[in-house]
Amino acid sequence: MKCLTDSTEERIKEAAKMVFLEKGFDGTTTRDIAQAAGINSALMNYYFRSKEKLFQSIFNDVCTLMFKGMLELINQPISLRDKISKLMDHQFQMMMQNPNLTIFIMNELRLNPERLYGTIGMAKQVPESIFHQQIEDAIAQGIITPIDSHHILTMIIANIQFLFVSKPMTMLAQGLDEAGFNAFATRHMEYVKDMICEYLFKPEPVT
Amino acid sequence: MKCLTDSTEERIKEAAKMVFLEKGFDGTTTRDIAQAAGINSALMNYYFRSKEKLFQSIFNDVCTLMFKGMLELINQPISLRDKISKLMDHQFQMMMQNPNLTIFIMNELRLNPERLYGTIGMAKQVPESIFHQQIEDAIAQGIITPIDSHHILTMIIANIQFLFVSKPMTMLAQGLDEAGFNAFATRHMEYVKDMICEYLFKPEPVT
DNA sequence: AGAAAATTTAATCAATTGATCAAAACGCTT
DNA sequence: AAGCGTTTTGATCAATTGATTAAATTTTCT
């Protein structure tokens, strides 16, 4: 499907990632993957022992794609305002490139929570980072409203991610095409950026 | 599974709703449903012609459960502040009772968008309601920040719904049990209520 | 009660599923 | 070219899937 220089194993993973993301684990057959990869259906079992093992490999990759960039941003030594803005920008770009990344992860996780074992460490790192301390400091200095960092992170994530989780619904309800949705999403991101920052950074610290 | 006075058809629907919501369409077998309903597996085909037809029936019910209450609230002649608060409360209660209602709907819709045909009318009503006019009026009067009502509705929905969409992830990342999650969610709702209202209803209309 | 209709059951169907196997094709070293 | 390990192929397996059928049972109506 992509460049022909890829090894067979890599071609299988690429195809599997595509098909799994589109149809989910239960909706995907091993023959779907073989066809998408242009390989014999026995090769999937040759390189990865089973559909489940292949899925775990893909799922770890996808979770890493999801969290790695976020984690890096979260630990950057930049101002809170910048960090929040960049976190939201990063999610937005990531989701524009792969709109069903989040709903895929969340749904597979719901169907089978133990599947996060491979990436659970990464997920746990997110809340326990520099970000947390940064928030605490800002609160102590009276710069932002006193809220636990978990809630702030949830706000940052929810207001971007749900846009894409509900993309089909939004398009149907508002009668939008792809371009229309993108415009809506772009506008929305600016609004929620403002909303979150205005909520956290109160205009007048009443001293 | 519930009261034995229910008709067979109703027992099938109840069981199917439970199983479909838990496992999704692809992850559910007709025998799963039969077992959950305590009936012979041929009865599903007797009352509903196929798994697909049964699912459509369930999916319509579930979408109605999702949208009906929201629509009623949206069209109530109450103040914007009250309406926003009540809309969020309603979602919150609905999701506490059925935590995977939204992710189920969104994911099935993503896998098969034409499945909303049965409820598309309802989904389209949401944005084109009294709510829209109410927002426009409030903007014209300088009461709230000028934003299209679609964006406001998205904020109201996203900040509650994503909590539950990401429930397994949140529990794992923060190491919460059921009670811990509920406490987190309850706190979060108050925060986002404040956030949205503070963003919309600016403190000083600079006249 | 007794016939007719509706419901329920057990058995079974064809198709699809994930997975395995032996044989064939390939690539590398000698 | 010969030998050897790796990769690929086509065929096939047992299990499961959604669905159907005819017979058995229950309900309904007269």
Side-chain angles (χ1 to χ4, degrees):
Chain A
M1 203 54 67
K2 288 190 176 182
C3 58
L4 297 174
T5 65
D6 288 342
S7 71
T8 303
E9 188 171 339
E10 211 52 46
R11 281 175 65 194
I12 296 177
K13 285 194 74 170
E14 284 169 11
K17 181 183 167 187
M18 241 177 39
V19 182
F20 276 141
L21 266 168
E22 184 192 336
K23 302 186 174 186
F25 179 80
D26 291 327
T28 298
T29 71
T30 55
R31 287 170 177 82
D32 284 340
I33 298 173
Q35 190 181 3
I39 56 154
N40 185 285
S41 37
L43 280 179
M44 189 273 287
N45 293 92
Y46 178 76
Y47 284 101
F48 310 85
R49 300 180 45 82
S50 65
K51 178 190 174 188
E52 174 68 33
K53 291 258 172 55
L54 172 58
F55 181 81
Q56 281 173 12
S57 168
I58 301 294
F59 194 66
N60 282 347
D61 290 355
V62 168
C63 284
T64 301
L65 171 65
M66 179 77 176
F67 292 122
K68 199 182 171 193
M70 294 276 288
L71 259 175
E72 286 171 5
L73 274 173
I74 271 183
N75 285 319
Q76 266 183 21
I78 55 176
S79 77
L80 203 51
R81 258 206 156 83
D82 271 8
K83 189 170 286 191
I84 291 173
S85 178
K86 284 189 177 172
L87 276 171
M88 299 183 82
D89 285 336
H90 173 260
Q91 288 182 87
F92 189 78
Q93 285 173 14
M94 191 171 58
M95 298 310 290
M96 286 294 266
Q97 285 176 21
N98 209 335
N100 41 20
L101 182 65
T102 301
I103 193 164
F104 166 76
I105 293 177
M106 297 299 169
N107 193 57
E108 296 296 342
L109 203 52
R110 170 182 84 94
L111 296 176
N112 220 336
E114 57 267 29
R115 275 185 177 143
L116 200 64
Y117 281 165
T119 332
I120 194 170
M122 200 174 300
K124 280 195 173 180
Q125 280 177 45
V126 175
E128 301 166 355
S129 57
I130 296 182
F131 186 71
H132 179 72
Q133 193 55 49
Q134 205 167 9
I135 298 283
E136 299 257 306
D137 292 349
I139 291 173
Q141 294 167 28
I143 297 174
I144 67 166
T145 305
I147 309 181
D148 187 281
S149 63
H150 290 120
H151 291 287
I152 298 178
L153 207 52
T154 301
M155 289 170 184
I156 293 172
I157 297 173
N159 278 285
I160 298 295
Q161 294 299 340
F162 192 77
L163 260 180
F164 296 91
V165 168
S166 63
K167 180 177 174 183
M169 180 74 75
T170 300
M171 290 176 70
L172 280 167
Q174 296 190 34
L176 302 174
D177 57 8
E178 202 71 32
F181 174 81
N182 290 348
F184 177 77
T186 305
R187 261 181 286 130
H188 195 76
M189 192 181 66
E190 294 307 318
Y191 289 138
V192 293
K193 261 188 185 175
D194 287 350
M195 176 173 67
I196 292 174
C197 283
E198 285 181 20
Y199 178 63
L200 290 178
F201 303 94
K202 287 292 156 55
E204 306 272 318
V206 187
T207 339
Chain B
M1 203 51 70
K2 290 192 175 182
C3 58
L4 297 174
T5 65
D6 287 343
S7 70
T8 302
E9 188 171 340
E10 211 51 45
R11 281 174 64 194
I12 296 177
K13 285 194 76 170
E14 285 169 10
K17 181 183 166 187
M18 242 176 41
V19 182
F20 276 141
L21 266 168
E22 185 192 335
K23 304 186 174 185
F25 180 80
D26 290 327
T28 298
T29 71
T30 55
R31 286 169 178 81
D32 285 340
I33 299 173
Q35 190 180 3
I39 56 152
N40 186 285
S41 37
L43 280 180
M44 189 274 287
N45 294 92
Y46 178 75
Y47 284 100
F48 309 85
R49 298 180 44 85
S50 66
K51 179 189 174 188
E52 175 69 33
K53 290 258 173 56
L54 171 58
F55 181 82
Q56 281 173 11
S57 168
I58 301 294
F59 194 67
N60 281 347
D61 290 356
V62 167
C63 284
T64 301
L65 170 65
M66 179 78 175
F67 292 122
K68 200 183 169 193
M70 294 276 289
L71 258 176
E72 285 170 5
L73 274 172
I74 271 182
N75 284 318
Q76 266 183 22
I78 56 177
S79 79
L80 202 52
R81 259 205 155 86
D82 271 7
K83 188 171 286 191
I84 290 173
S85 179
K86 284 188 178 174
L87 276 170
M88 299 184 83
D89 285 335
H90 174 260
Q91 286 182 90
F92 190 77
Q93 287 172 13
M94 190 170 62
M95 297 311 289
M96 286 294 265
Q97 286 175 19
N98 209 335
N100 42 21
L101 181 64
T102 302
I103 193 165
F104 166 76
I105 292 177
M106 296 301 169
N107 193 58
E108 296 296 341
L109 202 53
R110 170 181 84 94
L111 296 176
N112 218 336
E114 57 268 28
R115 276 186 176 140
L116 200 64
Y117 281 165
T119 332
I120 195 170
M122 202 174 300
K124 281 195 171 178
Q125 279 177 44
V126 175
E128 300 166 355
S129 57
I130 295 183
F131 186 71
H132 180 72
Q133 194 54 50
Q134 204 168 10
I135 298 284
E136 299 257 305
D137 291 349
I139 292 173
Q141 294 167 27
I143 297 175
I144 68 167
T145 305
I147 308 179
D148 186 281
S149 62
H150 289 120
H151 291 287
I152 299 179
L153 208 50
T154 300
M155 290 170 183
I156 293 173
I157 296 174
N159 279 285
I160 299 294
Q161 294 299 340
F162 191 77
L163 262 180
F164 296 92
V165 168
S166 63
K167 180 178 174 182
M169 181 74 77
T170 300
M171 290 175 69
L172 281 166
Q174 297 190 33
L176 302 175
D177 57 7
E178 201 71 31
F181 174 81
N182 289 348
F184 177 77
T186 305
R187 259 181 288 130
H188 195 76
M189 192 181 65
E190 294 307 319
Y191 289 137
V192 293
K193 260 188 186 176
D194 287 351
M195 176 173 67
I196 293 174
C197 282
E198 285 181 22
Y199 179 62
L200 290 179
F201 302 94
K202 289 290 157 55
E204 307 273 319
V206 188
T207 340

